[in-house]
């Protein structure tokens, strides 16, 4: 809305309030007109009046009009307080503090701008067919707030929990694969050592040195590979431990958040009312059982 600098939703809210104010204003003006009409019909029945009679008539009319105008001004002030209360209640749910500038309420330029907007809006709308617009309801004041924030935090923790579970599963698979590969390499080393022992008796002395050198080289390379795999396994085990630690932390946070949500629910008016009703019902059942036992004993 270019005239007042509000978005479309707030524009509709302003128009609804102005429509309400125009309706109340029209009713009060009709009431003032009826005061004058009643005076004409009830008092102005003679052709001439004395000064005292005219003063009495005007004083009576002044009292009636004064009462009507005062009543309307008071009602308007109370209505504005209720409207501000709705806005402040919604803001407090999100821990916001709204501020108002009372001096701007007497800014003639802004008041004329509002008057021009009202004139343009309602003159143009009077020429258009009336469309039934369903007013959106205010967000319930007693619901949401801290509870809604806790629900969002629980949802975030659950999502993080799922991610950590997936990460933990991946690390476990990597660790198992590393252990399998280590076992295969150890079996290969054992086979090489067994072949070396079996061939020592068959090889000649001149070939024995070459074979030992070859075995030593293979052993060195295998030991290097085995060390690399061991370091990789340690890294995977550390990552696994870290993931498990993160999973436990998130599960603890999730449990705390759920307890906090349950605590908030127990503090609501609905829970207290339900508990009070159940207590009364239990007392009534106990009383009925006592009466029934008394009647049975008499029989």
């Amino acid at each position: 809305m270019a005239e007042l600098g509000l978005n479309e939703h707030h524009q509709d809210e302003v128009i609804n309030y102005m429509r309400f104010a125009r309706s109340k204003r029209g009713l009060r003006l009709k009431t003032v007109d009826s005061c004058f009409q009643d005076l004409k019909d009830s008092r102005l029945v003679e052709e001439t009046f004395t000064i005292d009679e005219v003063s009495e008539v005007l004083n009576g009319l002044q009292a009636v009009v004064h009462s009507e105008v005062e009543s309307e001004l008071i009602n308007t002030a109370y209505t504005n307080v209720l409207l501000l209360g709705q806005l402040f209640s919604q803001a407090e749910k999100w821990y916001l503090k709204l501020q108002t500038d009372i001096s701007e309420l007497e800014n003639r330029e802004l008041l004329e701008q509002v008057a021009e907007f009202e004139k343009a809006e309602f003159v143009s709308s009077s020429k258009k067919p009336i469309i039934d617009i369903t007013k959106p309801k205010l967000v319930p004041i007693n619901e949401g707030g801290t509870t809604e924030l806790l629900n969002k935090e629980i949802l975030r923790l659950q999502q993080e929990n799922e991610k950590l579970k997936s990460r933990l599963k991946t690390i476990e698979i990597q660790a198992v694969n590393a252990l399998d590969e280590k076992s295969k390499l150890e079996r290969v080393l054992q086979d090489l050592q067994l072949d070396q022992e079996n061939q020592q008796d068959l090889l000649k002395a001149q070939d024995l040195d070459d074979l030992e050198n070859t075995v030593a080289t293979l052993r060195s390379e295998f030991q290097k590979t085995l060390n690399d795999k061991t370091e990789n396994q340690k890294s995977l085990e550390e990552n696994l431990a870290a993931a498990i630690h993160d999973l436990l932390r998130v599960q603890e946070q999730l449990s705390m958040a759920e307890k906090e949500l349950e605590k908030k629910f127990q503090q609501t008016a609905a829970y207290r009312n339900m508990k009070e009703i159940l207590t009364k019902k239990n007392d009534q059942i106990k009383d009925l059982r006592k009466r029934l036992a008394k009647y049975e004993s008499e029989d």
Side-chain angles (χ1 to χ4, degrees):
M1 172 168 114
E3 294 84 351
L4 298 180
L6 302 177
N7 59 30
E8 182 178 358
H9 173 75
H10 291 158
Q11 170 182 332
D12 293 336
E13 294 297 323
V14 170
I15 292 174
N16 287 335
Y17 178 75
M18 295 180 73
R19 185 179 293 110
F20 167 76
R22 284 170 62 89
S23 174
K24 299 292 290 184
R25 186 171 61 208
L27 291 176
R28 285 303 176 181
L29 290 177
K30 289 181 180 179
T31 303
V32 173
D33 292 339
S34 65
C35 292
F36 283 88
Q37 188 63 40
D38 292 342
L39 177 64
K40 292 179 182 179
D41 296 339
S42 61
R43 301 297 302 272
L44 301 183
V45 294
E46 300 179 5
E47 296 182 356
T48 58
F49 293 90
T50 64
I51 294 177
D52 293 336
E53 290 174 340
V54 172
S55 298
E56 180 184 357
V57 170
L58 292 179
N59 290 335
L61 179 61
Q62 179 185 6
V64 174
V65 174
H66 181 274
S67 176
E68 290 293 336
V69 174
E70 182 182 20
S71 176
E72 175 59 19
L73 292 175
I74 292 174
N75 184 69
T76 300
Y78 292 167
T79 302
N80 291 334
V81 170
L82 292 177
L83 183 61
L84 290 173
Q86 293 179 7
L87 299 177
F88 292 155
S89 296
Q90 293 186 47
E92 288 175 0
K93 289 189 308 176
W94 297 102
Y95 307 101
L96 300 178
K97 294 183 179 180
L98 303 182
Q99 293 182 345
T100 59
D101 190 353
I102 304 299
S103 62
E104 291 295 324
L105 299 179
E106 297 182 352
N107 189 320
R108 298 304 307 175
E109 182 179 353
L110 295 178
L111 292 174
E112 291 176 359
Q113 186 177 355
V114 174
E116 289 296 328
F117 170 75
E118 179 185 16
K119 181 179 178 181
E121 180 65 28
F122 287 95
V123 170
S124 60
S125 62
S126 63
K127 299 179 182 179
K128 301 177 182 178
I130 299 176
I131 302 175
D132 185 14
I133 301 176
T134 302
K135 293 175 60 180
K137 295 183 179 180
L138 293 174
V139 178
I141 295 176
N142 294 328
E143 298 179 5
T146 305
T147 302
E148 185 174 354
L149 292 176
L150 286 174
N151 286 329
K152 290 183 177 180
E153 180 65 14
I154 289 174
L155 179 59
R156 185 189 69 80
L157 292 174
Q158 288 175 343
Q159 293 175 349
E160 186 176 351
N161 189 18
E162 292 298 327
K163 292 179 180 179
L164 289 174
K165 285 182 178 179
S166 177
R167 179 185 173 189
L168 177 61
K169 185 176 181 181
T170 302
I171 293 176
E172 287 177 347
I173 294 174
Q174 293 176 353
V176 170
N177 293 334
L179 291 174
D180 291 341
E181 188 173 356
K182 178 182 178 181
S183 299
K184 291 179 181 179
L185 292 174
E186 288 178 347
R187 285 196 297 270
V188 170
L189 178 60
Q190 290 176 358
D191 293 339
L192 289 174
Q193 291 176 347
L194 182 60
D195 291 340
Q196 179 184 6
E197 292 175 357
N198 293 332
Q199 292 176 4
Q200 281 179 354
D201 296 336
L202 302 175
L203 293 176
K204 295 181 179 180
Q206 61 272 18
D207 296 332
L208 185 58
D209 293 337
D210 296 336
L211 181 58
E212 290 179 351
N213 292 334
T214 302
V215 172
T217 302
L218 291 174
R219 181 177 295 177
S220 176
E221 292 178 354
F222 173 76
Q223 190 65 36
K224 181 179 179 182
T225 303
L226 185 61
N227 292 335
D228 293 340
K229 293 298 180 181
T230 302
E231 293 179 358
N232 187 24
Q233 180 184 356
K234 291 181 179 179
S235 177
L236 290 175
E237 291 176 350
E238 291 177 356
N239 291 335
L240 178 61
I244 293 174
H245 179 72
D246 292 340
L247 177 61
L248 293 176
R249 177 180 57 80
V250 171
Q251 288 177 344
E252 182 179 1
Q253 293 178 354
L254 180 61
S255 176
M256 292 177 63
E258 290 176 348
K259 291 181 181 178
E260 183 67 18
L261 178 60
E262 182 179 0
K263 181 179 179 182
K264 290 292 182 180
F265 172 73
Q266 292 178 355
Q267 294 176 355
T268 59
Y271 178 83
R272 292 196 299 270
N273 293 335
M274 183 175 66
K275 186 174 181 181
E276 183 178 353
I277 291 173
L278 289 176
T279 303
K280 291 182 179 179
K281 291 296 181 181
N282 290 332
D283 294 337
Q284 292 177 357
I285 292 173
K286 291 179 180 179
D287 184 59
L288 290 174
R289 287 178 177 174
K290 291 180 180 178
R291 292 181 181 180
L292 181 60
K294 180 179 180 181
Y295 293 147
E296 291 178 351
S297 63
E298 291 177 357
D299 293 340

